[in-house]
Amino acid sequence: MELIPTSGPVFTEDQHTNLYHLNELYGNVAQTVSAVMKSRYGMDLPITSGIWGGTYFIARPDGKSKRRIWRYYCIVNLPSGGPLEVHENLEKLVSVYSSTLRQAFQPEGLDLKLKMWGGRLPYTNKLKPNITMHMEDATETVRWVRPIFVWNTATWEQSIIYDTLRLVKELKQNLHRDRKPPLKDPQQIKYLLQDIIILYKTLEQAHDPDFIEHAEGIIKDMTQAFLQGLSEPDDILNWYHKVHQYLLIYGYEQTLEMHYQPYRLDVRALEHWPVDKINFVPDELQAKLIPPIKDIFAAFRQNLNNHAA
């Protein structure tokens, strides 16, 4: 099955990433894998995929990342309750997915090798947890490409919003209001701070106005610190303590709780939700959060087209 090409290169001349084309590549890979599984094995598997991690919120107008990205993640949404319930079929899918990703990134100069798969992502559904696949790049252009497989077919945007529930719970372990901030490693703290910014921007249109007034300033200043090359351990630690002090993670949790509580879904007990609620996003939350994401990528496309013209 011929791989659908992207409309432009993923890597720029200075080895930054065009996030529009990367997201496009992930979507094309999902479509190709779905077609291969149908033609080769007779499995009808609607699959969607896109970037995990909201670096697109602070990209340049044409989708180019403002800093070099070393770790590539994508969300892959799979149907549950069908052929993939059989382990051998899941193995076939992983084989096809890894070979298709390898093929897709070869023109970009990457040499991907499958290292492992089947790891369970923390704070996901107990009965149907998210699983990961880990591919490393022999050229060291990037450190790895890591798909996250999520059950229940959904659009990429829906799955990104649903994943905020898991990420809030994960980050809360290191930002608990009743404990001193436990992390010491500056690099680990930087990843946490990046996720705090991404979560705020993903959920921004759903936040209560009072919380926006409380959080907007610190998010703006912290984003600027990253863009200026946040690297000093003391500065990183100071931002960590400030994020802990401002209780930002609890504001995110309240935003999600406000939208999920009417459906009797406890955002603090995500692991115990019914399997059919994996990737569930209430319509009113979709209406607030999906259009801004679509608008970002539409603007990337328009600016790329204008530049090409």
Side-chain angles (χ1 to χ4, degrees), residues 172 175-180 244 247 250 253-254:
K172 192 176 175 182
L175 291 166
H176 200 285
R177 65 176 60 163
D178 296 330
R179 297 194 292 267
K180 291 183 179 180
H244 178 265
L247 301 177
Y250 289 91
E253 186 179 70
Q254 288 170 7

Side-chain angles (χ1 to χ4, degrees), residues 53-233:
T55 45
Y56 43 82
F57 283 112
I58 53 174
R60 300 187 188 279
D62 63 353
K64 179 182 175 181
S65 64
K66 291 186 176 180
R67 300 183 65 83
R68 187 167 179 180
I69 300 174
W70 290 95
R71 308 184 308 166
Y72 278 10
Y73 295 90
C74 63
I75 272 186
V76 180
N77 302 301
L78 303 174
S80 60
L84 297 181
E85 298 295 321
V86 178
H87 186 76
E88 290 79 2
N89 291 335
L90 188 57
E91 289 180 333
K92 291 173 182 174
L93 175 84
V94 168
S95 176
V96 172
Y97 223 103
S98 60
S99 63
T100 306
L101 275 171
R102 175 179 169 79
Q103 179 188 354
F105 276 106
Q106 277 179 336
E108 305 291 342
L110 272 59
D111 182 14
L112 296 179
K113 310 284 188 186
L114 178 63
K115 293 298 181 180
M116 64 184 71
W117 73 274
R120 297 187 169 200
L121 209 61
Y123 310 110
T124 59
N125 192 278
K126 290 287 188 182
L127 298 177
K128 297 283 288 184
N130 295 2
I131 60 175
T132 60
M133 183 172 76
H134 182 77
M135 302 185 74
E136 294 181 359
D137 173 30
T139 73
E140 298 185 350
T141 303
V142 300
R143 293 198 175 95
W144 63 62
V145 176
R146 188 176 292 173
I148 302 167
F149 294 111
V150 185
W151 299 102
N152 292 344
T153 303
T155 67
W156 164 69
E157 295 91 351
Q158 287 170 328
S159 193
I160 285 293
I161 295 167
Y162 172 80
D163 191 67
T164 61
L165 293 152
R166 180 198 62 80
L167 189 54
V168 164
K169 187 156 187 173
E170 180 177 329
L171 296 182
K172 192 176 175 182
Q173 308 309 305
N174 292 312
L175 291 166
H176 200 285
R177 65 176 60 163
D178 296 330
R179 297 194 292 267
K180 291 183 179 180
L183 298 181
K184 305 297 182 185
D185 176 43
Q187 190 59 58
Q188 190 177 4
I189 294 171
K190 278 187 72 172
Y191 293 142
L192 177 146
L193 296 177
Q194 288 172 354
D195 286 340
I196 286 292
I197 294 171
I198 288 166
L199 275 170
Y200 179 83
K201 291 184 175 295
T202 302
L203 298 172
E204 187 170 10
Q205 298 303 315
H207 290 317
D208 182 273
D210 289 341
F211 178 69
I212 291 177
E213 184 177 353
H214 170 75
E216 191 172 36
I218 183 175
I219 294 296
K220 182 178 179 180
D221 291 345
M222 188 162 58
T223 301
Q224 192 60 36
F226 267 101
L227 294 178
Q228 291 173 352
L230 182 63
S231 59
E232 291 296 323

